[in-house]
Amino acid sequence: MTKRTVPQVVGQADGLGQVFIGTQRAGDGSPDLGDFDGVGEARARVVGVLARGGYGDRETVVRVNGPSTPWGADDLAAAARSGADAVLLPKVEGAEEVRAAERALDAAGAPESLRLWCMIETPRGVLAAPEIAAATPRLACLVAGTSDLVKDLRARHTPGRAEVLASLSLVVLAARASGLAALDGVHLDLADDAGFEAACRQGRDLGFDGKTLIHPKTIDAANRAFAPAAEEVAAARRIIDAHAEAERAGSGVVVVDGRLVEALHVEEARRTVALAEAIAARG
C-alpha cells in the first residue's frame, strides 16, 4: 500500500486520508489533546471512530503514548483491539522497546496483521535506527520526527534542512536495509506553501515514501510530490519494453533514450510503474 501522505489527527479522525490518530498527553513532546479532558477520553474516542470505520482502503495508524509512560500500557491494549492497521510508537531509541511493545500487543490479543511503526525523533533513536528497523517482522515503517530531533540537536530549523539531512538519510538507510517503508517528518509552517513543496521534493529525492502532515490542506501537494510524474512513468515503460525486447532477441545490450540500461534500471522502472498503477487504482 502506498504511504505518500499521512495526516495527523488528535483524538479524532473524520474525512482525511491515511491518518495518525493520537492519544498522547500534552506537555511531554506529544500533540495537545485540545478540548479533551484527558488521555482516557481521547483513547475512547479513537477506539470509537475506528469502530465506525469508513476509511475504505486507507491505513489507520494509532499513535500511542510511549510504553514507559503511565498511559502507554492502556494505549497499547486499546490499540490492539481497535481495528487499526498499525500502532505508532513515539521516541523509539532501541530494539527492545519495539519488542516489548509487540509483547504487550500480543498479550492484548492483537491480530497478526497489526503492524508497528516507529518514530525516530531523538539522537539516540537515529543512531540506533538499524537495530530498531530489524527488531521484529511486525515492524513496517520508520517515521522521521524532525521537530523533536532539531530540538534535541540544539540545531535551528533552516529552509534547506541541513541540520537534519544526515539523520534523515540514516533513517532511510535503516528502513531500506530491513525492507521497511520510510516517512519524512512534518513541515510546521502552514503559510509556507513553497517551502512545503520544496521539503516534499527533497524528501522524495532522499528516498522517503511519503510525508507526515499536520493539516489536510497540504495533502494534494504532498501526493503530487511523492507520485511518479507522467514522464517518469513513460520512461519507465520504455525501459521495461526495451529490456523485454532485448531478452527476446538475445541481445546483451539495451540502450533507452541514449542511456545504457542495466538490471537495476529495469527493477527501478518496474517499481515506478507499480507505484503509479497502485495510485491510479485508488483514484
Side-chain angles (χ1 to χ4, degrees):
M1 182 175 289
T2 63
K3 291 177 171 60
R4 292 179 294 161
T5 54
V6 187
Q8 301 188 40
V9 186
V10 184
Q12 60 91 22
D14 298 302
L16 294 178
Q18 204 167 21
V19 292
F20 290 158
I21 305 176
T23 64
Q24 295 84 355
R25 179 178 175 81
D28 50 323
S30 302
D32 192 341
L33 289 172
D35 295 332
F36 300 111
D37 292 333
V39 175
E41 183 177 346
R43 184 188 304 123
R45 184 163 182 179
V46 165
V47 171
V49 296
L50 285 170
R52 289 200 299 272
Y55 293 99
D57 61 354
R58 299 175 181 88
E59 290 180 276
T60 50
V61 184
V62 176
R63 179 176 175 180
V64 298
N65 286 287
S68 63
T69 69
W71 316 278
D74 288 342
D75 280 359
L76 286 171
R81 304 181 297 271
S82 68
D85 295 296
V87 173
L88 177 67
L89 305 176
K91 295 186 181 297
V92 178
E93 295 187 329
E96 182 52 35
E97 295 175 47
V98 186
R99 290 190 283 265
E102 180 180 36
R103 290 193 293 271
L105 291 172
D106 287 340
E112 290 185 7
S113 60
L114 182 66
R115 302 291 94 190
L116 278 168
W117 291 17
C118 290
M119 288 286 295
I120 307 297
E121 51 187 334
T122 67
R124 285 183 181 273
V126 171
L127 293 177
E131 69 178 64
I132 293 169
T136 169
R138 198 187 276 270
L139 185 60
C141 184
L142 298 184
V143 182
T146 48
S147 298
D148 281 331
L149 182 59
V150 170
K151 173 183 69 69
D152 287 355
L153 291 172
R154 303 177 191 171
R156 295 175 178 174
H157 288 278
T158 63
R161 300 200 296 176
E163 66 280 4
V164 292
L165 286 181
S167 299
L168 293 175
S169 289
L170 285 171
V171 171
V172 174
L173 279 167
R176 296 296 180 251
S178 290
L180 308 182
L183 295 176
D184 195 2
V186 300
H187 185 80
L188 297 175
D189 188 350
L190 292 175
D192 181 18
D193 293 342
F196 174 76
E197 292 179 9
C200 287
R201 290 193 299 270
Q202 181 190 58
R204 174 64 191 88
D205 290 343
L206 288 171
F208 283 101
D209 298 293
K211 191 169 184 67
T212 54
L213 309 177
I214 58 174
H215 195 282
K217 80 170 196 171
T218 59
I219 290 175
D220 289 343
N223 274 339
R224 287 194 300 271
F226 287 95
E231 55 270 24
E232 290 180 83
V233 178
R237 293 189 187 280
R238 288 197 298 273
I239 289 172
I240 294 168
D241 292 344
H243 179 262
E245 179 60 31
E247 283 193 329
R248 286 192 294 269
S251 173
V253 177
V254 181
V255 177
V256 177
D257 298 333
R259 297 184 178 184
L260 183 67
V261 172
E262 299 181 287
L264 64 94
H265 302 121
V266 179
E267 180 182 352
E268 177 61 18
R270 288 173 176 156
R271 193 195 72 81
T272 297
V273 171
L275 177 58
E277 290 177 346
I279 292 169
R282 291 191 63 177

